[in-house]
């Protein structure tokens, strides 16, 4: 064989071997890629595919102007992998580190780190097996700044198997401010559970959506761009903007703290609402709680008193009866009623007035808060009309602000007895929530238009703004002058001779009504426990707000609505008006002069009454002597 | 085109390409397309690996930036919460009391008299304008009125 023939043969052999090699590779590829494709792909996916649960943040709560009331604050969870942290001395070192910096008991951390394995039952063979423990929570929700410092320290210490994961927790930057309204949440495993208030009411809207992303990852956990991935987008909860204004809320809460301290009451609460829109501008109660300090929360503080508690309103109810009677043309402001010297028997039961008078006009009945006068007006109206009037003011109907709200007690007409109209008109035998009272006073202030109270103004989220509509119905008054007449009467309450002189705000006309309701204890009216309230609107003719201040069981010596709640009505109203830059509706000098004149007139009237009384007594004595 | 070839005896001769192909050196020709395809596959795989590497690098970079962004976002949220805490009236009030800062509410009775003492400053104001144009800075503006406070 020639040399060239030999080379050719060798080349052919090499080529054939090469071809055989290629054929083998193709065969192996065929087996791997086609025959065992599913099996191997599953194995690979199991190894490199990971699942990640992504959760958005819960919606936040803001006041009307966008000031944060409830937010989510970033925190960090400290996680350890016991299989990586090391042996006992290393675990001791880590446990000591966290006991020093996070004040976690040493034994707790050490115990967790030393449990290196988990026992489990094999689902197929039902044998007990062990596997390495890879996940232990050292501490949840570590403060963000503290966590950042810890990360730096941890790097210096060179611990292994520790990681810091981002998390969020509910934060209340204003502490106890509006805490009863906004409510609180708690975490149940990794789920946020709303407990009360707005948090519970709008839980569905505020909840974030949890999504599971499945993706192939590289060794360091980064998703592979060309690998299989199903990345789901999570959704944050919707933010809620309330109708309350934080500065006004702060003013109200500050004054309520003073009132609580002064009156030594069981509870106090105040509600301020815009009579035209029904927007709650501020609402507060004492006792209350600080949501950032859960250990101090008591059931008394936790309850939303102004929605869940009912009270007999007392004299606060009188203007509704009178407004109804005026509107129906049953009485006129100057119509006079005999007050029988302050004691009147009806259906065999006595009815008393705190001020003994003989004759009072309808205007004076409101000014002096006469029970007898109001009862007589109610009787003039008749049961049917009285019931229709009170129902049209919303008594017996929920305001819809909270799910936990109560309806109050308002008996249907068929259950009324002979005495009912004489009692219900002055706020006895009926129980209402403070919210219902404020809604009814909004109607008195705005000319009789029923409004729906609003606490939530709008929702924001996903680039959408959903505004809740203002609902205002046509006026319930048939006569246009009814509103003016009842407001004029209510203005007198804060003027000299009225029951709430201390509620007057210099430079402004205040229309309001006091209420001193006896509490029902064991089915009987108590002579020592009262609810002292004052509710009014200011400026009377074009009100900026309706404000109710109520004190439950004042024990500081005073118990009348005018003297207990009146001064704080004034304080809250005065500061709020200043904050809102509302100009006085009467120049201050004029207001002072008018006040002085009214005081003189009132003193003169009192003197005349005293003289008349003296004369009457003298006549009676001389008649007896004769 | 003509090529020179050398035979095993050492003499060279000029042979036409068509004749040379038909004589025995054409056995590898059927493999040429296969080699071409293999080369293409190799090129494609190399390119794929090259670009995948580039993509991964960018991907890692984007993940890193994403993490940084999230960290910054967390910091913003944290600071927002802190700002809200420090701006709450309760906190501000506590600080006012702590440092005994005299903060009084203005009342309308604070200003009792507003009296113009000297009508001359009006003229002075005009003079000042002229003086300023002339570059005379030494001119002092007179107080126009005094507020008597309670």
């Amino acid at each position: 064989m020639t040399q060239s023939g030999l080379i050719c043969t060798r080349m052919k052999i090499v080529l054939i071997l090469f071809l055989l090699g290629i054929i083998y590779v193709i065969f192996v590829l065929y087996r791997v890629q086609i025959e065992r494709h599913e099996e191997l792909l599953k194995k690979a996916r199991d190894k490199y595919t990971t699942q990640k649960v992504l959760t958005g943040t819960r919606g936040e709560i803001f006041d009307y102007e966008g000031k944060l009331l409830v937010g989510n604050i970033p925190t960090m969870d400290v996680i350890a992998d016991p299989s990586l942290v090391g042996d006992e001395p290393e675990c001791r070192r880590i446990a000591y580190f966290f006991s020093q910096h996070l004040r976690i008991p040493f034994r707790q951390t050490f115990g967790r780190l030393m449990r290196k394995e988990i026992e489990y039952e094999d689902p197929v063979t039902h044998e007990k097996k062990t596997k390495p423990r890879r996940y232990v929570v050292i501490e949840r929700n570590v403060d963000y700044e503290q966590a950042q410092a810890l990360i730096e320290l941890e790097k210096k210490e060179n611990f292994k198997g520790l990681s810091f994961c981002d998390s969020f927790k509910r934060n209340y930057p204003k502490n106890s401010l509006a805490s009863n309204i906004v409510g609180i949440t708690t975490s149940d495993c990794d789920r946020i559970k709303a407990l009360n208030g707005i948090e519970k009411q709008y839980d569905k809207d505020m909840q974030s959506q949890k999504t599971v992303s499945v993706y192939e990852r590289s060794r360091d956990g980064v998703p592979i761009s060309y690998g299989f991935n199903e990345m789901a987008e999570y959704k944050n909860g919707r933010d809620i903007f309330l109708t309350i204004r934080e500065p006004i809320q702060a003013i109200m809460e500050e004054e309520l703290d003073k009132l609580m301290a002064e009156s030594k009451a069981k509870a106090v609460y105040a509600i301020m609402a815009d009579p035209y829109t029904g927007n709650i501008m501020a609402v507060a109660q004492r006792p209350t709680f600080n949501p950032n300090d859960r250990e101090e929360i008591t059931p008394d503080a936790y309850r939303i008193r102004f929605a869940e508690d009912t009270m007999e309103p007392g004299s606060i109810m009188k203007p509704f009866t009178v407004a109804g009677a005026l509107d129906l043309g049953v009485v006129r402001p100057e119509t006079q009623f005999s007050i029988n010297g302050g004691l009147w028997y009806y259906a065999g039961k006595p009815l008393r007035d705190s001020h003994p008078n003989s004759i009072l006009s309808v205007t004076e009945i409101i000014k002096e808060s006469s029970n007898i006068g109001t009862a007589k007006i109610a009787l003039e109206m008749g049961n049917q009309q009285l019931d229709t009037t009170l129902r049209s003011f919303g008594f017996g109907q929920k305001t819809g602000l909270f799910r936990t709200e109560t309806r109050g007690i308002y008996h249907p007409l068929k259950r009324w007895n002979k005495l009912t109209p004489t009692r219900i008109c002055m706020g006895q035998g009926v129980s209402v929530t403070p919210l219902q009272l404020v809604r009814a006073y909004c109607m008195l202030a705005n000319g009789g238009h029923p409004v729906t109270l609003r606490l939530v103004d709008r929702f924001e989220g996903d680039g959408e703004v959903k505004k809740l509509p203002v609902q205002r119905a046509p006026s319930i008054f048939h006569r246009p002058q009814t509103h003016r007449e009842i407001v004029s009467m209510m203005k007198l309450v804060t003027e000299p001779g009225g029951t709430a002189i201390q509620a007057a705000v210099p430079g402004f006309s205040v229309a309001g009504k006091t209420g001193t309701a006896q509490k029902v204890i064991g089915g009987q009216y108590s002579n020592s426990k009262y609810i002292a309230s004052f509710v009014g609107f200011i400026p009377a003719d074009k009100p900026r707000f309706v404000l109710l201040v109520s004190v439950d069981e004042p024990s500081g010596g005073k118990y009348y609505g005018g003297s207990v709640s009146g001064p704080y009505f004034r304080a809250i109203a005065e500061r709020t008006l200043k904050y809102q830059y509302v100009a006085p509706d009467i120049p201050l000098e004029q207001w002072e002069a008018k006040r002085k004149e009214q005081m003189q007139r009132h003193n003169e009237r009192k003197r005349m009454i005293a003289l008349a009384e003296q004369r009457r007594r003298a006549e009676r004595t001389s008649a007896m002597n004769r | 085109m003509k090529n020179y070839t050398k035979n095993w005896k050492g003499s060279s001769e000029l042979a036409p390409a068509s004749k040379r192909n038909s004589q025995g050196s054409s056995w590898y020709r059927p493999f040429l397309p296969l080699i071409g395809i293999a080369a293409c596959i190799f090129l494609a795989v190399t390119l794929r690996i090259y670009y995948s590497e580039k993509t991964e690098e960018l991907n890692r970079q984007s993940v890193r930036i994403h993490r940084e962004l999230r960290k910054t976002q967390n910091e913003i949220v944290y600071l927002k919460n802190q700002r809200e805490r420090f701006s709450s009236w309760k906190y501000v009030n506590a600080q006012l009391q702590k440092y005994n800062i005299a903060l009084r509410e203005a009342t309308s009775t604070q200003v009792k008299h507003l009296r113009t003492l000297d009508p001359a400053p009006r003229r002075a104001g005009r003079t000042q304008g002229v003086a300023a144009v002339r570059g005379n800075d030494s001119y002092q503006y007179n107080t126009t009125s005094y507020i008597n406070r309670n």
Side-chain angles (χ1 to χ4, degrees):
Chain A
M1 191 181 270
T2 59
Q3 203 173 356
S4 70
L6 192 67
I7 289 170
C8 274
T9 313
R10 279 180 193 164
M11 278 177 76
K12 277 175 190 169
I13 289 166
V14 168
L15 197 67
I16 286 164
L17 284 175
F18 180 69
L19 278 174
L20 283 174
I22 286 179
I23 288 164
Y24 177 73
V25 169
I26 290 169
F27 172 71
V28 170
L29 279 175
Y30 173 78
R31 279 203 67 193
V32 170
Q33 295 287 339
I34 296 166
E35 269 190 2
R36 295 180 64 198
H37 176 260
E38 290 301 316
E39 177 206 338
L40 294 174
L41 187 69
K42 192 177 176 297
K43 270 188 184 174
R45 273 194 182 161
D46 285 350
K47 190 149 189 170
Y48 299 112
T49 307
T50 189
Q51 273 193 3
K52 198 172 186 184
V53 180
L54 296 169
T55 317
T57 49
R58 189 177 167 83
E60 296 180 324
I61 304 177
F62 297 88
D63 83 335
Y64 189 79
E65 285 148 4
K67 288 174 185 156
L68 188 72
L69 297 175
V70 184
N72 300 306
I73 196 163
T75 53
M76 290 193 129
D77 293 342
V78 186
I79 312 292
D81 182 345
S83 65
L84 290 179
V85 287
D87 51 4
E88 195 189 317
E90 196 60 22
C91 290
R92 280 187 187 281
R93 211 159 68 87
I94 295 173
Y96 181 73
F97 175 81
F98 286 115
S99 71
Q100 290 293 301
H101 294 99
L102 291 179
R103 297 188 179 184
I104 310 167
F106 174 86
R107 278 163 180 265
Q108 183 186 312
T109 318
F110 181 67
R112 283 177 183 176
L113 293 175
M114 284 304 288
R115 285 178 63 204
K116 307 274 185 194
E117 289 180 333
I118 313 172
E119 273 192 9
Y120 73 102
E121 199 182 278
D122 193 302
V124 184
T125 58
H126 297 285
E127 279 176 24
K128 282 198 172 176
K129 289 183 176 177
T130 54
K131 63 178 180 183
R133 197 183 186 86
R134 306 292 306 270
Y135 187 90
V136 156
V137 179
I138 303 279
E139 181 72 331
R140 282 197 191 279
N141 296 329
V142 179
D143 184 63
Y144 189 74
E145 273 188 350
Q146 199 180 5
Q148 296 300 322
L150 269 181
I151 290 170
E152 292 301 314
L153 283 172
E154 185 254 333
K155 273 180 193 165
K156 280 181 197 165
E157 295 280 345
N158 201 20
F159 292 131
K160 281 176 188 165
L162 285 184
S163 57
F164 290 80
C165 293
D166 286 337
S167 63
F168 279 92
K169 80 169 180 186
R170 220 61 176 144
N171 180 45
Y172 304 83
K174 308 288 154 71
N175 291 318
S176 63
L177 191 99
S179 57
N180 291 95
I181 315 164
V182 295
I184 51 173
T185 56
T186 182
S187 54
D188 180 11
C189 293
D190 59 341
R191 201 170 68 90
I192 292 177
K193 203 174 166 189
L195 295 180
N196 69 337
I198 291 291
E199 291 269 25
K200 191 167 187 181
Q201 182 90 355
Y202 297 98
D203 189 31
K204 274 188 185 171
D205 294 285
M206 295 171 79
Q207 264 176 13
S208 59
Q209 278 184 7
K210 214 181 251 186
T211 53
V212 181
S213 289
V214 184
Y215 60 89
E216 281 182 48
R217 59 175 172 79
S218 64
R219 203 171 142 265
D220 51 359
V222 176
I224 302 169
S225 57
Y226 53 84
F228 163 81
N229 60 30
E230 274 180 13
M231 302 296 263
E233 277 291 310
Y234 61 83
K235 259 188 175 180
N236 290 334
R238 288 201 287 179
D239 295 334
I240 290 184
F241 287 75
L242 302 181
T243 55
I244 67 163
R245 271 86 166 160
E246 193 216 320
I248 301 176
Q249 181 75 22
I251 290 170
M252 184 182 272
E253 298 214 358
E254 206 173 76
E255 294 300 333
L256 282 198
D257 281 332
K258 289 182 203 164
L259 175 56
M260 186 76 177
E262 192 194 302
S263 64
K264 298 181 187 79
K266 192 178 157 192
V268 296
Y269 37 79
I271 306 170
M272 185 187 283
D274 181 333
Y276 298 101
T277 58
N279 285 351
I280 301 282
M281 293 157 70
V283 53
Q285 71 173 50
R286 290 290 178 275
T288 187
F289 61 93
N290 180 356
N292 290 323
D293 186 7
R294 302 281 168 102
E295 283 169 16
E296 302 283 313
I297 300 178
T298 59
D300 249 12
Y302 179 75
R303 208 170 67 234
I304 309 173
R305 285 172 180 272
F306 43 81
E308 293 169 15
D309 284 11
T310 58
M311 60 172 191
E312 284 205 352
S315 300
I316 283 180
M317 201 79 168
K318 286 171 187 166
F320 305 115
T321 309
V322 174
L326 287 170
D327 196 50
L328 293 163
V330 175
V331 292
R332 293 178 60 76
E334 58 279 1
T335 310
Q336 292 192 322
F337 285 89
S338 165
I339 304 302
N340 305 58
L343 178 64
W344 179 56
Y345 282 88
Y346 182 74
K349 299 272 181 187
L351 189 60
R352 286 186 180 85
D353 266 5
S354 54
H355 308 284
N357 286 301
S358 51
I359 288 170
L360 287 178
S361 68
V362 174
T363 305
E364 287 165 332
I365 285 170
I366 288 289
K367 185 183 176 183
E368 298 200 6
S369 193
S370 165
N371 295 334
I372 298 168
T374 317
K376 287 188 172 181
I377 293 171
L379 288 176
E380 290 276 320
M381 281 174 81
N383 287 2
Q384 181 69 54
Q385 286 181 333
L386 180 63
D387 177 61
T388 312
T389 302
L390 295 182
R391 281 193 188 278
S392 61
F393 276 105
F395 294 110
Q397 297 154 32
K398 286 183 180 181
T399 62
L401 281 192
F402 296 98
R403 272 188 208 146
T404 50
E405 185 188 351
T406 49
R407 197 184 295 276
I409 300 168
Y410 186 87
H411 295 302
L413 192 59
K414 61 184 176 191
R415 284 181 59 192
W416 285 23
N417 58 28
K418 202 178 173 189
L419 211 59
T420 307
T422 62
R423 298 296 185 267
I424 207 167
C425 65
M426 52 178 212
Q428 283 187 352
V430 58
S431 78
V432 299
T433 63
L435 284 175
Q436 284 175 330
L437 265 181
V438 168
R439 179 176 62 182
Y441 267 84
C442 280
M443 289 170 70
L444 279 184
N446 69 19
H449 297 276
V451 287
T452 306
L453 292 184
R454 293 168 82 237
L455 193 53
V456 173
D457 183 61
R458 58 193 188 274
F459 294 99
E460 282 188 21
D462 294 334
E464 275 180 19
V465 179
K466 186 185 160 196
K467 191 151 173 105
L468 300 185
V470 172
Q471 290 171 2
R472 192 160 171 246
S475 177
I476 58 163
F477 294 145
H478 304 103
R479 288 169 67 239
Q481 56 272 50
T482 306
H483 173 237
R484 194 171 33 81
E485 285 169 358
I486 190 72
V487 170
S488 309
M489 289 176 194
M490 287 167 70
K491 275 186 197 174
L492 299 175
V493 173
T494 57
E495 287 179 4
T499 50
I501 331 167
Q502 287 148 302
V505 179
F508 293 92
S509 55
V510 182
K513 187 70 193 79
T514 53
T516 311
Q518 291 168 287
K519 286 187 85 172
V520 179
I521 309 286
Q524 285 198 326
Y525 284 109
S526 164
N527 283 323
S528 57
K529 290 179 176 173
Y530 298 90
I531 295 180
S533 314
F534 184 82
V535 57
F537 40 94
I538 183 168
D541 298 311
K542 201 167 187 283
R544 297 293 290 250
F545 54 80
V546 168
L547 173 61
L548 164 79
V549 180
S550 253
V551 183
D552 188 357
E553 290 186 26
S555 54
K558 294 182 281 187
Y559 63 88
Y560 280 113
S563 54
V564 178
S565 303
Y568 288 91
F569 172 92
R570 174 190 160 153
I572 298 170
E574 202 171 9
R575 288 178 67 183
T576 306
L577 290 166
K578 273 180 192 167
Y579 170 72
Q580 293 188 318
Y581 298 109
V582 181
D585 51 358
I586 313 157
L588 208 64
E589 291 76 19
Q590 274 184 38
W591 188 87
E592 274 166 2
K594 196 179 159 193
R595 191 91 173 156
K596 208 177 265 178
E597 191 194 316
Q598 282 168 346
M599 194 61 97
Q600 278 172 354
R601 224 184 301 145
H602 172 65
N603 289 340
E604 184 65 25
R605 189 167 168 263
K606 258 172 80 179
R607 203 174 58 84
M608 296 288 281
I609 291 168
L611 272 175
E613 187 64 25
Q614 214 174 335
R615 210 174 296 140
R616 213 177 299 136
R617 266 192 216 148
E619 277 170 14
R620 221 178 290 155
T621 322
S622 65
M624 277 173 75
N625 289 343
R626 259 186 275 139
Chain B
M1 192 179 134
K2 287 179 178 176
N3 289 321
Y4 284 93
T5 56
K6 203 176 181 180
N7 62 21
W8 293 107
K9 289 168 185 168
S11 66
S12 59
E13 61 178 18
L14 187 64
S18 57
K19 193 183 173 188
R20 191 180 66 243
N21 288 348
S22 62
Q23 274 174 1
S25 61
S26 61
W27 60 268
Y28 58 85
R29 284 193 70 189
F31 299 109
L32 277 177
L34 198 67
I35 292 165
I37 290 167
C40 284
I41 291 171
F42 178 77
L43 187 72
V45 169
T46 312
L47 280 176
R48 162 98 197 246
I49 290 168
Y50 175 76
Y51 283 115
S52 292
E53 195 191 338
K54 284 272 171 201
T55 318
E56 273 314 290
E57 202 179 313
L58 286 173
N59 190 30
R60 268 164 218 277
Q61 220 169 328
S62 85
V63 168
R64 212 176 308 128
I65 291 168
H66 202 77
R67 263 187 213 146
E68 287 293 317
L69 273 176
R70 204 168 58 186
K71 199 179 164 194
T72 313
Q73 187 69 29
N74 279 353
E75 270 168 25
I76 292 168
V77 173
Y78 182 76
L79 290 173
K80 189 179 85 177
N81 274 273
Q82 291 294 91
R83 183 194 65 193
E84 292 293 340
R85 191 167 74 85
F86 293 136
S87 66
S88 72
W89 170 242
K90 222 169 193 177
Y91 182 82
V92 173
N93 199 25
Q95 296 301 306
L96 289 175
Q97 282 175 4
K98 187 178 167 187
Y99 296 108
N100 197 20
I101 303 165
L103 184 78
R104 287 179 297 140
E105 279 185 73
T107 63
S108 52
T109 53
Q110 272 182 307
V111 178
K112 224 167 190 184
H113 305 288
L114 191 67
R115 190 156 54 104
T116 305
L117 295 178
D118 183 12
R122 251 189 148 191
R123 288 198 304 275
R126 282 202 295 274
T127 323
Q128 187 199 29
V130 177
V133 170
R134 286 174 189 160
N136 185 358
D137 298 335
S138 59
Y139 191 85
Q140 293 286 313
Y141 190 77
N142 289 335
T143 310
T144 53
S145 58
Y146 298 92
I147 297 169
N148 290 341
R149 288 177 189 276
N150 271 351

